[in-house]
Amino acid sequence: MSDLNEGPMREKRSFIMARDPSVDRRFRPRPHKQLRLFDDIHESTESTDGSDTESEYASNAGDDATSVDDSSEVDTGPQVFLRLRPVSVASTGYSLSDDGKCLITSAKNENSSNNVNRMEKHFGFTSIFDGSVGQRDIYDICVGPRILEEECVTIMTYGTSGSGKTYTLLGDQVRAGVIPRGLEHIFTIYLGNLYSTPKLKLINGCIVFLQDDATLREMQISMKLLNLCPDINAQHERLRQEIKSDHTFETKTEPDLSVMIWVSFVEIYNELVYDLLSIPPRQDNLGAVQRKPLKIACNKGQVFIKGLTTVFVKSSEEALRLLRLGQQRSTYASTSVNSNSSRSHCVFTVDVLKYSRSGMTTQCSYKFCDLAGSERVNNTGTIGLRLKEAKNINTSLMTLGRCLDAASTSRKKSSTDVIPFRDSKLTMLLQAALLGKERLAMIVTVTPLEKYYEENLNVLNFASIAKNIVFKEPMIKQHSTRYSGFFDNPKADGQYDYIKALEEDNISLREEIDRLKFDHVLKMQLLEERLRKELTDTFQEMLRVNKKQWEEQSEKQKLMAEREFEFKLDSQKRHYEEQIEDLKDEVDYLKNPASETSIESIDEMEDDPIEIHDDE
């Protein structure tokens, strides 16, 4: 019993004073002297950890610092670029790392909504461009190599409202943006292989051979839309000279290749998809066109828009004119942040269909996506329709962020979650790029000012999510066809000009036929209106004459009735007057009886016969 009492006594639990967490409640055996068991291997462990960290950082840095000019390397994820808008006085809360590929942010004031935003954060990018970098360098690094690879690619601009997204894509009257430079680059590459007529077209995600009637119809659609476009010949020539001075594009020579280029332009406004290149009705004005929303569908894994107008173009000028036409039809509005703010997501698509004499067709799609700016309603003070637009914009951008997050974490989990593409029209349209079936390059624009600090953090967090996505190998869309009999190269026969003149004459004659049909229908409508008016006037005249006749007849009948009633009234009046006189005589007789006797004698005398005596 004494041995048992000598053992350690179990401590009584107290709910007021907590037990020291370092106390072993089970009293397990342990050495009395504390020894540092890892002192001998501490240095090696540190060196091992340091090497692993350094190698991981080097690999990450290698991914970030992958040279864009080296097209032989295959990227494992989307390229995310950062462009800082030039400002007069930049905030000190934004700084670049020594290698120029990491943006360091730290709040310098106490106006941040939470303590997390005040912490110093590091955001890595493929490349970072400050305010001194021009449009030429942006294109050479971000877009040019993608077009040279001849793979499907989506170029996306994302940022806060007024940070320069639209300027990066479209530019202005003097400095060409990414899209004009890309169009000039594409048409320069395939200059010697452009086919003069649209024999192939991408319909519902599949390449379809067009018959002669369909080909002429597509050329008529192209001519109608180009006639509606503004005249930009001088502007295009000026931009073309600038692009030629900035870049040196090479032309590929492949005699057995025929290339057809199609363009389309859509906008997503309030979660509805609208066609910006639709042909308006002939009798309506351009500004009074009733827009109809389109539906996004999927066919054999290919996402397309049902009823979308795709236009066949022969030159970069035609494509740029269609782009300007779509800009005029897109939705812009003034906000407190930007006087000309885009209120919708716009996607301009260039489809390059290539056909070789071996019977193989290849499709390359270049999507240029201008996302609407993310904004805070509390800061912008939007109300009414602007508030509804901002709500839909932020919702679609949030869905895009969720899809990017799901795509980036899918490689880390054995059971991948479903990526919510169908929650937004924007993600449905861009799901091929988000799934890695197409290349994705994102240009993030930021205004480095203190008042946009929290909005910029949201944009940078969005970009960091996109940077973690890992793509599969890109899929080149090829189709085996048997259209070789229809694709004789006219340039080889030396009859290209003659065939082109015949095609233009054919199109002009068909246009003349359509015009005459329209004029005939218009004349028939005018004739019908004139006949209807004449019939209406005739019936109105007949009604007026009949009304007048009936009025005259009614007036005569009225006069005759009045005369008849007056005669009857006079007759009745005389009758009653005679009765009144008789009654008065009777009253007088009853009042004077003597007079009555004399009257009777007089009556008797009158009754006696008068005798006449003859003297003879």
Side-chain angles (χ1 to χ4, degrees):
M1 297 294 295
S2 61
D3 296 337
L4 295 176
N5 294 332
E6 291 178 357
M9 298 297 294
R10 183 174 295 275
E11 181 183 8
K12 292 183 179 181
R13 180 173 298 180
S14 173
F15 294 97
I16 299 176
M17 299 298 294
R19 182 186 293 112
D20 187 1
S22 62
V23 176
D24 186 6
R25 293 182 295 174
R26 298 183 180 180
F27 300 98
R28 290 171 291 191
R30 60 182 183 272
H32 295 284
K33 185 178 179 181
Q34 296 182 354
L35 299 177
R36 301 186 63 180
L37 301 178
F38 300 99
D39 285 345
D40 297 336
I41 58 175
H42 181 68
E43 294 181 359
S44 61
T45 302
E46 289 182 350
S47 62
T48 305
D49 293 337
S51 62
D52 291 342
T53 305
E54 184 178 359
S55 62
E56 182 179 359
Y57 177 78
S59 62
N60 294 335
D63 292 339
D64 294 342
T66 302
S67 176
V68 185
D69 297 330
D70 188 7
S71 59
S72 61
E73 297 183 4
V74 178
D75 299 329
T76 58
Q79 291 186 330
V80 183
F81 305 93
L82 176 64
R83 186 177 192 182
L84 301 177
R85 179 176 179 175
V87 293
S88 57
V89 179
S91 173
T92 57
Y94 306 90
S95 60
L96 298 179
S97 61
D98 295 336
D99 59 353
K101 297 182 181 296
C102 182
L103 180 68
I104 304 173
T105 61
S106 60
K108 300 301 180 181
N109 56 5
E110 302 297 330
N111 296 329
S112 298
S113 60
N114 51 39
N115 293 329
V116 177
N117 291 341
R118 299 173 189 171
M119 299 172 58
E120 182 179 293
K121 296 183 178 181
H122 296 245
F123 299 94
F125 294 91
T126 305
S127 296
I128 298 179
F129 310 100
D130 56 10
S132 61
V133 179
Q135 299 281 63
R136 180 190 61 184
D137 297 333
I138 296 292
Y139 181 82
D140 287 339
I141 298 177
C142 302
V143 183
R146 305 290 94 185
I147 293 179
L148 289 176
E149 292 175 356
E150 298 185 9
E151 297 177 356
C152 297
V153 62
T154 298
I155 309 296
M156 185 187 307
T157 58
Y158 177 75
T160 57
S161 182
S163 58
K165 304 181 299 299
T166 306
Y167 172 77
T168 301
L169 280 181
L170 303 177
D172 54 15
Q173 301 293 334
V174 180
R175 294 171 292 275
V178 166
I179 297 181
R181 296 173 188 268
L183 292 174
E184 195 66 31
H185 194 179
I186 293 172
F187 279 94
T188 303
I189 290 176
Y190 305 111
L191 181 61
N193 303 105
L194 293 176
Y195 204 74
S196 58
T197 56
K199 292 295 184 179
L200 293 179
K201 184 180 180 181
L202 194 65
I203 300 178
N204 296 340
C206 300
I207 297 179
V208 178
F209 172 73
L210 300 180
Q211 300 296 333
D212 293 340
D213 294 340
T215 299
L216 293 174
R217 194 182 311 115
E218 293 296 337
M219 298 182 73
Q220 290 177 10
I221 292 174
S222 177
M223 291 184 64
K224 289 179 181 178
L225 285 174
L226 290 174
N227 292 333
L228 296 175
C229 295
D231 187 12
I232 58 170
N233 292 330
Q235 178 187 356
H236 176 262
E237 187 62 28
R238 183 169 59 254
L239 294 178
R240 188 177 182 180
Q241 294 298 330
E242 180 198 359
I243 294 172
K244 285 186 176 180
S245 62
D246 291 341
H247 310 279
T248 303
F249 300 141
E250 297 181 357
T251 301
K252 292 185 177 180
T253 55
E254 297 182 17
D256 296 336
L257 186 67
S258 299
V259 179
M260 284 145 282
I261 300 178
W262 300 75
V263 297
S264 62
F265 202 3
V266 299
E267 74 166 351
I268 303 175
Y269 176 71
N270 286 339
E271 285 301 308
L272 295 175
V273 181
Y274 294 105
D275 186 4
L276 296 179
L277 297 181
S278 60
I279 299 178
R282 192 159 188 171
Q283 63 272 17
D284 294 341
N285 295 326
L286 181 61
V289 177
Q290 184 67 27
R291 302 199 304 175
K292 295 181 180 180
L294 305 179
K295 293 183 179 180
I296 300 176
C298 184
N299 182 19
K300 297 180 181 179
Q302 302 294 328
V303 180
F304 63 93
I305 301 175
K306 297 179 64 176
L308 178 64
T309 303
T310 55
V311 187
F312 176 74
V313 290
K314 302 178 183 178
S315 62
S316 60
E317 181 182 358
E318 294 181 356
L320 188 60
R321 289 175 63 187
L322 294 173
L323 176 63
R324 298 301 185 213
L325 177 63
Q327 282 184 264
Q328 293 179 356
R329 297 181 177 182
S330 59
T331 306
Y332 288 88
S334 177
T335 61
S336 60
V337 179
N338 188 3
S339 60
N340 192 23
S341 175
S342 177
R343 311 307 297 169
S344 61
H345 308 298
C346 296
V347 181
F348 183 77
T349 306
V350 181
D351 293 322
V352 180
L353 305 182
K354 294 180 287 186
Y355 173 82
S356 62
R357 288 185 177 270
S358 61
M360 185 68 65
T361 61
T362 306
Q363 170 197 351
C364 294
S365 296
Y366 304 98
K367 296 186 181 69
F368 299 92
C369 184
D370 183 14
L371 300 181
S374 61
E375 56 187 25
R376 287 197 169 190
V377 178
N378 295 333
N379 297 339
T380 57
T382 54
I383 58 175
L385 182 59
R386 300 286 90 81
L387 179 61
K388 180 181 178 181
E389 294 170 351
K391 176 183 175 182
N392 289 315
I393 290 171
N394 293 334
T395 301
S396 61
L397 292 177
M398 182 185 68
T399 306
L400 179 60
R402 289 170 52 202
C403 293
L404 291 174
D405 190 16
S408 63
T409 57
S410 61
R411 64 185 181 92
K412 301 178 182 179
K413 299 180 181 179
S414 57
S415 60
T416 58
D417 297 334
V418 177
I419 301 177
F421 291 118
R422 295 185 177 273
D423 292 353
S424 173
K425 298 294 179 61
L426 177 64
T427 53
M428 288 179 64
L429 191 59
L430 302 179
Q431 61 178 287
L434 298 177
L435 287 174
K437 296 180 180 179
E438 298 178 357
R439 295 291 188 184
L440 177 62
M442 182 180 298
I443 302 176
V444 180
T445 57
V446 168
T447 304
L449 294 178
E450 195 66 35
K451 61 180 179 178
Y452 301 125
Y453 182 76
E454 293 191 357
E455 289 84 346
N456 291 337
L457 280 185
N458 295 331
V459 173
L460 295 173
N461 289 328
F462 181 91
S464 64
I465 294 175
K467 193 71 172 61
N468 295 328
I469 299 178
V470 175
F471 282 163
K472 300 177 182 178
E473 290 296 327
M475 180 179 62
I476 300 177
K477 301 179 182 179
Q478 295 181 346
H479 308 270
S480 179
T481 59
R482 296 183 179 180
Y483 301 150
S484 57
F486 299 95
F487 282 88
D488 295 331
N489 194 352
K491 293 184 179 181
D493 300 334
Q495 299 179 354
Y496 176 76
D497 295 335
Y498 177 69
I499 295 175
K500 185 177 180 181
L502 290 179
E503 290 175 350
E504 292 178 354
D505 292 341
N506 194 354
I507 294 174
S508 62
L509 291 175
R510 287 180 174 267
E511 287 287 338
E512 184 68 19
I513 291 173
D514 292 340
R515 187 185 64 80
L516 292 175
K517 287 182 179 180
F518 178 77
D519 294 341
H520 178 69
V521 172
L522 183 60
K523 288 180 180 179
M524 292 297 102
Q525 291 178 352
L526 294 176
L527 179 60
E528 181 182 0
E529 292 179 359
R530 184 171 60 83
L531 293 176
R532 287 179 179 273
K533 189 175 184 303
E534 290 179 357
L535 290 175
T536 305
D537 295 340
T538 302
F539 281 114
Q540 286 181 353
E541 183 66 23
M542 292 174 60
L543 291 174
R544 187 183 62 80
V545 172
N546 292 334
K547 181 180 179 182
K548 185 177 180 181
Q549 292 177 355
W550 281 105
E551 286 179 352
E552 292 177 355
Q553 186 177 358
S554 300
E555 188 67 26
K556 291 179 181 180
Q557 292 178 358
K558 178 181 177 183
L559 292 174
M560 293 177 64
E562 287 179 354
R563 290 176 182 178
E564 182 179 357
F565 284 116
E566 286 178 358
F567 176 77
K568 290 181 179 181
L569 183 61
D570 293 340
S571 176
Q572 291 290 335
K573 183 177 179 181
R574 288 193 301 271
H575 175 68
Y576 287 122
E577 286 178 353
E578 291 175 356
Q579 289 182 356
I580 291 171
E581 289 295 332
D582 294 341
L583 292 174
K584 284 183 179 180
D585 292 342
E586 291 179 2
V587 170
D588 292 341
Y589 172 75
L590 294 175
K591 288 182 178 181
N592 301 316
S595 61
E596 182 182 357
T597 304
S598 61
I599 293 172
E600 290 179 355
S601 61
I602 293 171
D603 293 337
E604 291 177 355
M605 293 175 67
E606 291 179 354
D607 294 336
D608 294 339
I610 300 174
E611 297 180 0
I612 302 174
H613 301 277
D614 188 6
D615 292 341
E616 297 180 357

